[in-house]
Structure formats: C-alpha cells, structure tokens
Amino acid sequence: MIPHYFILSLFAIAGIISLLAALLNWGWFFTAHNAQTVVRRIGRSRARILYGIVGLLLIGMAVFFFHSIKNG
C-alpha cells in the first residue's frame, strides 16, 4: 500500500505546484524549458489557464484514487 500512497502524493504535489504557478504567475515556472514551449505556442495567459486546469486535474485524480484505495 505504501507505494500507492507515494504515487498519489506525487500527483498531489505536482498538481499543487502547477496550480500555484498558474495562480501566482511564477516566473521560474513559466521560463522553464518545457513550459516555454507551451508559452510560445499559446501565450502566457493561456498557458496559465492550461497549467491551472492540469493542476486541478492532478489534484482531483489524487483525491479520487486515494478514496478508491481507502474504500476498496
């Protein structure tokens, strides 16, 4: 069970970082090489929206699977 919780925590942490980066407009996040590809294609404001949605999805997945493991 411990590996499951470890993976779930990674999903949650990645989601929280992505969501906070989108909300707080973190420069270091959006100037990173991988994020720059997205920023160049769709612009920074749309990239913030995209990363916010991705963050919410990751957090939602972590919560959903946590409850699935706990109740299953």
Side-chain angles (χ1 to χ4, degrees):
M1 268 318 208
I2 290 177
H4 293 94
Y5 291 123
F6 179 73
I7 298 297
L8 289 176
S9 65
L10 289 179
F11 269 84
I13 290 169
I16 290 168
I17 290 173
S18 180
L19 182 61
L20 286 175
L23 292 174
L24 301 175
N25 197 18
W26 284 342
W28 64 267
F29 185 88
F30 290 102
T31 56
H33 181 68
N34 291 336
Q36 268 300 319
T37 305
V38 176
V39 170
R40 272 191 238 113
R41 289 183 190 262
I42 63 174
R44 186 155 178 157
S45 61
R46 287 186 181 160
R48 288 179 64 196
I49 294 169
L50 176 68
Y51 279 106
I53 292 169
V54 168
L56 288 173
L57 287 172
L58 287 171
I59 293 168
M61 286 173 51
V63 169
F64 174 77
F65 288 121
F66 174 77
H67 286 294
S68 295
I69 290 172
K70 196 156 183 115
N71 294 331

